[in-house]
Amino acid sequence: MRFMLLFSRQGKLRLQKWYTATAERDKKKMVRELMQVVLARKPKMCSFLEWRDLKIVYKRYASLYFCCAVEEHDNELITLEVIHRFVELLDKYFGSVCELDIIFNFEKAYFILDEFLMGGEIQDTSKKSVLKAIEQADLLQEEDESPRSVLEEMGLA
Amino acid sequence: MALKIVKGSIDRMFDKNLQDLVRGIRNHKEDEAKYISTCIDEIKQELKQDNIAVKANAVCKLTYLQMLGYDVSWAAFNIVEVMSSSKFTYKRIGYLAASQCFHEGTDVIMLTTNQIRKDLSSPNQYDTGVALTGLSCFVTPDLARDLANDIMTLMSHTKPYIRKKAVLIMYKVFLKYPESLRPAFPRLKEKLEDPDPGVQSAAVNVICELARRNPKNYLSLAPLFFKLMTSSTNNWVLIKIIKLFGALTPLEPRLGKKLIEPLTNLIHSTSAMSLLYECVNTVIAVLISLSSGMPNHSASIQLCVQKLRILIEDSDQNLKYLGLLAMSKILKTHPKSVQSHKDLILQCLDDKDESIRLRALDLLYGMVSKKNLMEIVKKLMLHVDKAEGTTYRDELLTKIIDICSQSNFQYITNFEWYISILVELTRLEGTRHGHLIASQMLDVAIRVKAIRGFAVAQMATLLDNAHLLTGNTQRNGICEVLYAAAWICGEFSEHLEDPMQTLEAMLRPKVATLPGHIQAVYVQNAAKLFATVLRKHDGETESQAAQETSQLLIDRLPLFVQSANLEVQERASCILQLVKYIQKLQQKNVEVAEEVTALFAGELNPVAPKAQKKVPIPEGLDLDAWINEPPSGSESEDEKPKAVFAKEEPKHSRSRHTEVDEKELARRREVRKQEQASNPFYIKASPSSQKVYDAPGVEHIPVVQIDLSVPLKVPGMPMSDQYLKLEEERRQKEKAERKKKEKKKKREKRGKERKADSGPESEEDITPAHQVDIVTEEMPENALPSDDDDKDPNDPHKALDIDLDKYVPHCRHLQFIHVLHIVMCRNEFFSKTEIYDFKVVVSVIFENKSDSFLKAMEFNVLDSLNSKLQRPEGAGAHDSLTVPFQLPPGVSNEARFVFSVQSIVMPQKLKGTLTFIVKSDESSTHEKLDFKLHFTCTSYLITTPCYSDAYAKLLESGDLKGSSLRLEGINMPFHHLLARICFHHHFSVVERIDSCASMYSRSIQGHHVCLLVKTTVSIDAKCDEPSLLGNVLDEIKQTFSKC
């Protein structure tokens, strides 16, 4: 997989993950171009399109478009599955996820994605183990934070 | 100090956190940019504070802004600061920010190496995980080189969570630092059998990606993958493995045969569409790579087509699309099986989804045959009329043209029909593809000689009705066809019925509104027509008509002389003067027709676009050398204005006597002919250079002459339909006639042979409506045959094409690469042989570099005392072994030979010969290739990791004997030196401390080899077998003497 984008129906980018190093300017251009192409497609159309030398696989969930770019010989259906799996993970983590969850917790969304995919390849095909990894990492984060009361932090304790 | 902390924390309470920022942006929809710039200012303030929590918060906000498209590269250093925080919360944010913002050009990346190394070896697995994830996004060649060893160690980490990440990231590391592939590969291979399914699937992923790029290096893994495929139940992994096999089969046909069965089983049994689709795709790929002769070959194709039909009929648009996509792959090799589903595909043209329609169009492209071309194009023409939206209509148009023109107009039996289709297409308004239609018209008119008369008549009508096409010239691409029409009418004007009328049509005032380049063609071709008209009236005394023509030109051309387009203006004024002069001569009753025609004598022939490129540069010709020394700048500046003035001086060349001109012309023509005769670029008029186009068996079938005088326009019915009808009738008639003939024949040799003719019409039965010769594009005689145009030198995967093995000599016919695979005795392949001494498997890759077929290859090696080639039981000690395959041109394949080796402490060179038969079309010769197999001591070493404590113990034990080596004149960075030793000599780095590094490797017989390499480039070595050590050191020395 080359990259994954999440954007809203209004054309607002919600998440972008690039698995190959791309210059900032090219990224912007590609995102803009791709959003236009995808948003222009009608609901009854299939989820695949050929764009430049890549295959684009996208799916719409409520107001959010999930859009992946894969290479020519990659399997479209499994990419669709990846998107779906990611949505399921978000759903499980946030509890029926909505666009606002992703906007306000965008770093969490990234963490989940990073546990699920790495370098554009699927890391773990089991939902459980991905969620477990995320939970434990979160736990670690809370341990980091909890023992320090405000007073401690202020250096008064 | 305390106060400072207090202050920081209080500030922090009032800082915006990420949620505030997001909310703020949403509340400032009108002046978002302004709001964000104040936020960025705040963030800059926050980054200046010492409190890491504040910094992390700021970096988190920056990451969000980065996603919105704001430049945050200025904060790269702060990101590194947050990354190196000891707290996981902040580290996580830091790495996230880095993975989003860093790229190869980020200069602070070099600062991160040590931090990342520290995190990789952190006792907390999530620290390691976060570092690996981040690294996978921004790894650079430097990072890859410096961290490759650390990551390699992580591949054997106790936690599967880390192992799987480490395995996955190795792919990125390989891409950036290809040299790491060889040492890492054995361990990667081990991971294929990791107990944890996640790690296993990660390893499958990585190897599949690698193998897809350079499959030949991974053939040896096929048995392992085969086992995985038949045992795994994880669809994700299965898909990857199946894809991998798809890449391997073209190299190893036997593998393909083995695969078909499990794949068809999967196709039957699976309920997962993605897996089904992958299987179908791979079966197709396998069948494509297999030559025919498979017993159930057609059965598997039928199965695939059936399954695809189900996909296409599904209501899910995605499946429909993919079904069509896969169908087009089958089409390439098995057109027959797809053609029977033509109805289904034509149905898809009516689908709501444009992308599905386009796919169906692609399929149609491959489905046409001589028989159904007209019918399919008719359907498409209907769709052109119905199509809404210019994009789709334009796509239809290009497809129609593609379909008709494919493989040199192979499927067109009636070019009159094709010209009519092209003319009908010109009625499309607003298409962008005028030039495409135009180039087709030109192509057909030039290359199909028999059609010229008809084409010219059609083009003349087009020119006459030009006003219909040029309604809105500004954005109307269709007027491009006028370019072709004018040129065809001019160039082949001898076919025109009424050249005068066409000439008039070309000089109408409206023409001046056409684009310049078209006008220029009009003017030039008007001159050609003029010549034709003159010629027509040649010999008539006091020809009124000829003089009228001159007058017409003289009246109309001034309009073009005033054109703003230089080309038009220049041509028009030139021709105007010429015509004026001719008119003068005409008034004197001088016969001018012949001379004027001579202006346009000669025929243009098509030349292949690559022709020039194909001519080898003659020896001794340096195209870059100056012919004359370049003039100095000042001189040329003086020259220029002069030239301009000189040009404007009136020239009186035209007043020369025509007689002289004529002689001169004749002489020049002669000279030119001779020149052309010896010029390889020029296509001669000799019949041999023109390939006569005919369908197989045409000579035996009488071509039925049918009167094809179709009126140009039939009310109520588009013209091309007429042809369709006519064509059907013609075929019927032909068939009937053939039957008659056959009956006759049958009567003659009754009882001897009985052929049934009741089957459907086959391709060969259809003859072209008229004998058509297509003038093929010519290539120079000494053109070079090979095309290496399509290799992309920038492909990042090219560097990974590492023969995980080795390289040796090649001769004219064969490239010969031998490879040592050391096989331990437990290997399943050789479990039957008795184990005395060590078995060594040598993989030899045979690559046929000639243009001939190589067969009956026999491999023989002169045994030494130490190493013997294993021959089958009963064979003599000097018998050769047959190589179990033949090699078509350009193909390579691998054969394995087993040697028994008694002692591995000495390098060995074995002499051998390979005999083979070179078979070309005319002859076959026996040839021989001598070679040497070089068994180095290094090849008996296996990269084995060793931990520093074990290493220390080993050295302390005192069993090892020492030796040392100094390398002279080495001039490379230390880590390169180490990488080279790891790479070429199968060592792994145990530990590196400042200026020295300890390295370890083990031989297949379990000898330990330890090296201590110092930056002063001296190597102290220890091994329990001194002669092995000596030889390995010699080999290391040799490696470095080469660079």
Side-chain angles (χ1 to χ4, degrees):
Chain A
M1 193 183 290
R2 294 285 188 83
F3 57 87
M4 185 188 240
L5 303 176
L6 256 74
F7 50 86
S8 69
R9 211 153 44 110
Q10 289 79 32
K12 282 256 169 25
L13 199 57
R14 296 300 179 210
L15 208 101
Q16 53 170 331
K17 189 88 197 174
W18 298 76
Y19 293 111
T20 43
T22 318
E24 228 25 73
R25 189 149 34 91
D26 294 340
K27 277 190 198 172
K28 265 189 207 163
K29 204 172 149 222
M30 287 165 90
V31 169
R32 207 179 323 120
E33 213 175 292
L34 198 60
M35 271 205 279
Q36 257 175 15
V37 178
V38 172
L39 289 174
R41 287 175 68 90
K42 298 189 187 80
K44 275 285 164 79
M45 286 178 145
C46 68
S47 306
F48 316 121
L49 57 124
E50 276 165 25
W51 181 77
R52 301 196 181 177
D53 58 339
L54 297 173
K55 287 198 288 201
I56 305 296
V57 178
Y58 72 92
K59 196 165 163 88
R60 188 177 151 182
Y61 288 86
S63 60
L64 262 189
Y65 282 87
F66 289 68
C67 175
C68 294
V70 295
E71 270 155 69
E72 196 236 317
H73 39 236
D74 282 322
N75 188 324
E76 292 94 336
L77 289 173
I78 208 76
T79 314
L80 216 50
E81 197 82 7
V82 167
I83 293 178
H84 189 70
R85 187 60 65 93
F86 179 48
V87 175
E88 280 179 338
L89 286 170
L90 289 173
D91 215 40
K92 277 258 166 63
Y93 184 84
F94 289 110
S96 72
V97 67
C98 68
E99 196 182 334
L100 285 178
D101 285 326
I102 297 176
I103 298 173
F104 283 105
N105 299 292
F106 90 111
E107 86 278 19
K108 297 275 191 231
Y110 274 121
F111 293 149
I112 295 172
L113 184 60
D114 284 342
E115 283 302 326
F116 178 45
L117 294 176
M118 188 164 133
E121 297 290 336
I122 302 154
Q123 237 184 85
D124 212 311
T125 55
S126 130
K127 261 182 280 182
K128 257 191 208 148
S129 65
V130 174
L131 284 173
K132 209 180 104 198
I134 284 287
E135 270 163 27
Q136 290 191 336
D138 281 351
L139 221 62
L140 197 67
Q141 184 165 339
E142 273 152 30
E143 271 170 23
D144 257 3
E145 283 173 351
S146 57
R148 307 188 51 177
S149 69
V150 182
L151 283 179
E152 250 178 320
E153 238 177 63
M154 291 168 95
L156 298 175
Chain B
M1 182 64 199
L3 190 66
K4 212 173 170 189
I5 294 173
V6 171
K7 194 168 166 286
S9 301
I10 291 174
D11 277 350
R12 203 182 143 202
M13 282 149 100
F14 298 107
D15 282 344
K16 283 198 193 79
N17 64 13
L18 178 68
Q19 268 78 9
D20 299 330
L21 175 78
V22 175
R23 218 165 279 136
I25 293 174
R26 290 167 73 82
N27 289 337
H28 290 78
K29 285 226 166 73
E30 290 80 37
D31 52 347
E32 193 182 292
K34 200 174 142 211
Y35 178 75
I36 286 178
S37 76
T38 55
C39 285
I40 289 184
D41 287 342
E42 284 170 24
I43 290 171
K44 280 184 178 158
Q45 285 307 315
E46 288 166 27
L47 287 175
K48 278 184 193 147
Q49 296 186 30
D50 286 336
N51 190 330
I52 191 71
V54 178
K55 268 188 191 162
N57 184 38
V59 164
C60 188
K61 287 191 280 184
L62 278 179
T63 316
Y64 187 78
L65 294 179
Q66 190 267 346
M67 187 185 68
L68 295 181
Y70 292 88
D71 177 36
V72 301
S73 53
W74 48 269
F77 184 75
N78 303 104
I79 293 173
V80 176
E81 281 182 310
V82 176
M83 271 163 79
S84 39
S85 155
S86 58
K87 284 212 194 78
F88 179 69
T89 320
Y90 307 140
K91 190 185 286 300
R92 205 182 188 188
I93 289 169
Y95 272 104
L96 173 65
S99 69
Q100 294 296 102
C101 321
F102 286 6
H103 50 88
E104 278 187 24
T106 310
D107 41 7
V108 294
I109 274 192
M110 355 179 255
L111 302 177
T112 60
T113 316
N114 279 322
Q115 179 58 40
I116 295 173
R117 181 173 286 140
K118 209 173 111 198
D119 288 335
L120 288 181
S121 55
S122 156
N124 179 349
Q125 60 167 331
Y126 294 103
D127 281 349
T128 315
V130 138
L132 283 172
T133 310
L135 190 60
S136 76
C137 291
F138 59 77
V139 61
T140 62
D142 284 341
L143 281 177
R145 192 193 56 228
D146 295 340
L147 295 173
N149 268 323
D150 302 76
I151 299 172
M152 223 154 85
T153 325
L154 289 180
M155 279 165 73
S156 319
H157 200 271
T158 48
K159 298 252 172 51
Y161 176 79
I162 299 298
R163 284 210 300 276
K164 95 190 160 197
K165 280 181 191 271
V167 168
L168 277 179
I169 201 179
M170 272 326 268
Y171 180 61
K172 295 275 166 190
V173 173
F174 295 151
L175 283 181
K176 298 289 178 191
Y177 181 58
E179 279 188 48
S180 59
L181 176 56
R182 191 184 299 255
F185 191 70
R187 200 172 293 185
L188 190 60
K189 205 168 123 184
E190 272 170 33
K191 295 298 142 202
L192 284 175
E193 289 172 305
D194 196 279
D196 182 83
V199 181
Q200 195 186 30
S201 87
V204 170
N205 270 341
V206 171
I207 292 187
C208 286
E209 284 305 310
L210 288 169
R212 231 147 63 166
R213 265 75 199 214
N214 310 298
K216 70 172 188 298
N217 304 332
Y218 302 90
L219 264 177
S220 57
L221 293 181
L224 186 57
F225 275 111
F226 202 82
K227 207 175 83 194
L228 277 179
M229 181 175 80
T230 39
S231 60
S232 175
T233 50
N234 183 335
N235 284 349
W236 305 71
V237 174
L238 273 176
I239 286 178
K240 280 283 175 184
I241 295 178
I242 290 168
K243 204 180 273 300
L244 169 83
F245 276 125
L248 292 184
T249 37
L251 300 167
E252 178 55 276
R254 282 173 301 176
L255 190 60
K257 280 181 195 159
K258 250 183 129 177
L259 272 176
I260 291 289
E261 203 203 318
L263 285 184
T264 40
N265 286 346
L266 272 176
I267 292 179
H268 278 300
S269 62
T270 185
S271 57
M273 278 302 173
S274 48
L275 182 58
L276 172 76
Y277 178 62
E278 195 62 50
C279 288
V280 168
N281 261 333
T282 306
V283 169
I284 296 167
V286 166
L287 290 179
I288 288 172
S289 69
L290 280 183
S291 48
S292 56
M294 277 273 300
N296 55 351
H297 192 137
S298 61
S300 348
I301 278 289
Q302 275 315 318
L303 177 67
C304 290
V305 175
Q306 254 170 36
K307 286 282 174 187
L308 290 181
R309 189 175 170 110
I310 295 172
L311 289 191
I312 296 174
E313 281 170 340
D314 200 287
S315 58
D316 184 342
Q317 300 286 58
N318 293 337
L319 297 182
K320 204 186 273 274
Y321 176 89
L322 293 178
L324 290 170
L325 197 66
M327 205 65 124
S328 62
K329 285 181 195 150
I330 299 188
L331 188 70
K332 281 180 202 135
T333 48
H334 300 81
K336 286 253 164 64
S337 13
V338 182
Q339 266 160 12
S340 53
H341 301 279
K342 200 176 74 196
D343 53 320
L344 185 67
I345 301 195
L346 283 171
Q347 258 175 39
C348 291
L349 281 183
D350 294 319
D351 200 279
K352 294 181 293 277
D353 184 349
E354 191 173 299
S355 32
I356 287 178
R357 290 197 301 256
L358 292 178
R359 280 282 147 235
L361 270 181
D362 277 348
L363 263 175
L364 280 178
Y365 172 82
M367 283 173 68
V368 290
S369 62
K370 281 188 182 143
K371 204 171 85 184
N372 62 16
L373 174 73
M374 285 185 167
E375 191 195 334
I376 288 181
V377 171
K378 186 186 162 190
K379 288 243 167 70
L380 292 181
M381 292 296 280
L382 282 179
H383 279 279
V384 171
D385 289 339
K386 279 195 290 184
E388 55 209 51
T390 44
T391 3
Y392 180 56
R393 209 176 49 181
D394 279 359
E395 188 61 35
L396 271 169
L397 189 154
T398 43
K399 266 285 134 47
I400 290 176
I401 289 180
D402 279 354
I403 286 175
C404 292
S405 62
Q406 65 176 311
S407 26
N408 223 357
F409 305 107
Q410 192 191 344
Y411 299 114
I412 294 187
T413 51
N414 187 334
F415 277 91
E416 290 190 10
W417 164 80
Y418 186 43
I419 295 270
S420 324
I421 289 283
L422 290 176
V423 172
E424 266 170 50
L425 287 176
T426 61
R427 290 185 210 143
L428 281 185
E429 259 174 58
T431 177
R432 290 180 292 113
H433 292 299
H435 63 275
L436 198 62
I437 304 176
S439 71
Q440 284 294 303
M441 286 173 170
L442 287 171
D443 207 15
V444 172
I446 294 170
R447 292 170 63 191
V448 187
K449 276 190 176 165
I451 202 69
R452 284 181 193 165
F454 179 80
V456 166
Q458 291 286 318
M459 295 303 122
T461 326
L462 260 187
L463 286 179
D464 211 22
N465 298 323
H467 57 280
L468 295 176
L469 301 179
T470 54
N472 185 354
T473 36
Q474 248 43 50
R475 45 173 204 88
N476 199 339
I478 203 67
C479 59
E480 287 290 328
V481 297
L482 293 175
Y483 176 99
W487 189 86
I488 292 170
C489 284
E491 186 66 21
F492 306 120
S493 50
E494 68 269 21
H495 296 289
L496 270 179
E497 254 174 49
D498 188 359
M500 188 59 195
Q501 191 196 343
T502 310
L503 183 59
E504 196 273 332
M506 278 166 71
L507 293 171
R508 283 179 199 151
K510 187 112 206 267
V511 172
T513 60
L514 289 172
H517 65 286
I518 299 178
Q519 282 186 56
V521 173
Y522 263 69
V523 171
Q524 185 73 12
N525 285 285
K528 291 186 198 166
L529 280 176
F530 174 59
T532 316
V533 174
L534 287 188
R535 201 185 172 86
K536 232 180 178 174
H537 300 291
D538 196 18
E540 299 168 24
T541 42
E542 274 181 55
S543 163
Q544 193 62 34
Q547 293 202 18
E548 269 172 23
T549 320
S550 313
Q551 194 52 49
L552 177 74
L553 281 167
I554 290 168
D555 289 347
R556 299 280 177 87
L557 278 175
L559 177 68
F560 297 101
V561 175
Q562 293 159 13
S563 168
N565 186 300
L566 279 183
E567 184 78 14
V568 179
Q569 192 195 63
E570 203 167 31
R571 288 188 191 204
S573 64
C574 213
I575 289 165
L576 184 60
Q577 292 311 315
L578 187 69
V579 176
K580 278 185 182 160
Y581 178 67
I582 290 167
Q583 195 185 34
K584 235 186 268 171
L585 290 177
Q586 279 175 329
Q587 281 157 2
K588 288 182 203 154
N589 272 336
V590 181
E591 289 200 359
V592 287
E594 204 174 317
E595 279 109 70
V596 178
T597 330
L599 284 174
F600 306 108
E603 197 176 324
L604 288 176
N605 273 324
V607 174
K610 279 185 186 165
Q612 176 70 62
K613 221 165 88 186
K614 296 278 168 179
V615 180
I617 296 174
E619 247 176 78
L621 176 64
D622 181 6
L623 289 175
D624 295 327
W626 288 105
I627 299 173
N628 294 313
E629 279 305 305
S632 63
S634 59
E635 240 178 310
S636 66
E637 266 172 12
D638 284 3
E639 257 344 88
K640 266 185 185 164
K642 249 189 211 167
V644 169
F645 287 122
K647 212 178 166 190
E648 282 170 11
E649 277 170 29
K651 280 186 182 170
H652 300 289
S653 56
R654 289 213 185 99
S655 59
R656 254 191 289 164
H657 201 273
T658 39
E659 278 260 328
V660 182
D661 259 0
E662 175 58 13
K663 266 186 194 167
E664 178 68 11
L665 268 179
R667 194 186 63 79
R668 281 188 196 158
R669 215 174 295 143
E670 202 46 50
V671 171
R672 202 174 62 207
K673 258 188 200 159
Q674 272 173 7
E675 233 171 57
Q676 286 164 3
S678 56
N679 186 349
F681 302 121
Y682 197 85
I683 291 125
K684 289 132 216 160
S686 68
S688 65
S689 67
Q690 292 179 358
K691 209 164 126 195
V692 175
Y693 176 85
D694 52 11
V698 165
E699 308 95 284
H700 311 298
I701 305 162
V703 176
V704 187
Q705 291 297 329
I706 293 177
D707 188 12
L708 280 170
S709 54
V710 186
L712 280 185
K713 275 177 192 169
V714 180
M717 190 178 207
M719 218 170 46
S720 53
D721 287 358
Q722 291 268 320
Y723 284 101
L724 191 59
K725 261 193 168 169
L726 274 174
E727 182 73 14
E728 271 160 21
E729 281 168 23
R730 185 178 73 88
R731 280 181 197 168
Q732 289 283 321
K733 211 164 153 190
E734 237 170 55
K735 217 173 166 184
E737 223 159 276
R738 211 177 306 135
K739 263 191 186 162
K740 241 189 259 167
K741 242 181 145 184
E742 242 159 57
K743 262 186 203 160
K744 244 191 217 167
K745 264 192 213 160
K746 267 186 197 164
R747 233 174 280 146
E748 280 163 16
K749 5 173 172 171
R750 215 179 3 177
K752 263 197 176 175
E753 244 178 70
R754 262 181 209 192
K755 267 192 207 163
D757 194 29
S758 52
E761 229 179 332
S762 73
E763 275 288 282
E764 285 83 343
D765 293 340
I766 301 164
T767 53
H770 26 235
Q771 204 72 7
V772 178
D773 56 4
I774 291 188
V775 184
T776 48
E777 290 170 335
E778 292 282 320
M779 283 297 226
E781 280 148 29
N782 48 351
L784 301 170
S786 64
D787 278 86
D788 285 342
D789 311 337
D790 26 305
K791 277 190 187 162
D792 177 13
N794 298 325
D795 185 4
H797 306 294
K798 226 175 97 186
L800 277 185
D801 189 5
I802 295 172
D803 215 326
L804 287 163
D805 312 302
K806 219 174 212 188
Y807 171 92
V808 178
H810 58 268
C811 80
R812 190 159 58 90
H813 288 294
L814 265 183
Q815 174 156 28
F816 197 78
I817 298 168
H818 89 257
V819 179
L820 291 180
H821 273 283
I822 311 299
V823 176
M824 307 292 259
C825 303
R826 62 177 157 82
N827 193 305
E828 53 188 277
F829 283 107
F830 304 99
S831 50
K832 280 181 199 155
T833 46
E834 274 188 15
I835 309 152
Y836 254 113
D837 32 37
F838 282 84
K839 300 280 180 283
V840 172
V841 178
V842 178
S843 298
V844 181
I845 296 167
F846 298 90
E847 185 181 348
N848 183 353
K849 305 192 98 181
S850 69
D851 301 327
S852 320
F853 198 88
L854 302 186
K855 58 179 206 174
M857 288 186 277
E858 299 208 329
F859 179 91
N860 201 0
V861 171
L862 210 58
D863 292 346
S864 71
L865 279 177
N866 190 20
S867 320
K868 289 190 176 67
L869 176 63
Q870 296 267 297
R871 298 178 170 85
E873 261 176 72
H878 304 292
D879 287 357
S880 29
L881 293 180
T882 312
V883 180
F885 48 78
Q886 305 182 333
L887 284 179
V891 170
S892 63
N893 205 341
E894 180 191 304
R896 294 175 162 208
F897 302 97
V898 186
F899 287 81
S900 58
V901 179
Q902 278 182 346
S903 156
I904 62 157
V905 299
M906 299 282 279
Q908 298 273 329
K909 264 186 192 161
L910 295 186
K911 279 186 188 165
T913 44
L914 182 81
T915 56
F916 51 93
I917 293 174
V918 183
K919 198 170 169 245
S920 57
D921 289 341
E922 311 89 51
S923 61
S924 54
T925 50
H926 222 91
E927 296 219 20
K928 195 176 98 172
L929 169 68
D930 289 321
F931 60 87
K932 270 183 194 159
L933 282 180
H934 196 176
F935 293 69
T936 57
C937 284
T938 294
S939 51
Y940 301 120
L941 296 184
I942 295 173
T943 317
T944 321
C946 182
Y947 295 100
S948 43
D949 42 350
Y951 189 78
K953 250 182 218 163
L954 196 64
L955 289 178
E956 281 162 13
S957 69
D959 299 340
L960 307 182
K961 292 167 192 74
S963 171
S964 65
L965 169 73
R966 265 197 78 80
L967 296 169
E968 301 296 340
I970 300 295
N971 204 1
M972 60 168 83
F974 191 51
H975 54 263
H976 282 192
L977 181 94
L978 294 182
R980 232 170 238 268
I981 296 177
C982 288
F983 183 82
H984 292 287
H985 298 282
H986 312 170
F987 277 85
S988 59
V989 178
V990 179
E991 207 171 10
R992 187 181 155 185
I993 307 155
D994 301 330
S995 61
C996 60
S998 48
M999 305 177 91
Y1000 176 79
S1001 185
R1002 201 160 71 178
S1003 81
I1004 54 169
Q1005 289 181 338
H1007 303 115
H1008 304 283
V1009 189
C1010 307
L1011 302 183
L1012 185 68
V1013 188
K1014 292 178 186 148
T1015 39
T1016 52
V1017 211
S1018 65
I1019 300 177
D1020 289 322
K1022 281 192 169 179
C1023 175
D1024 38 13
E1025 179 54 67
S1027 51
L1028 176 70
L1029 182 64
N1031 288 318
V1032 169
L1033 287 182
D1034 280 349
E1035 282 161 20
I1036 291 177
K1037 200 170 172 183
Q1038 232 168 23
T1039 310
F1040 286 98
S1041 66
K1042 277 182 218 152
C1043 54

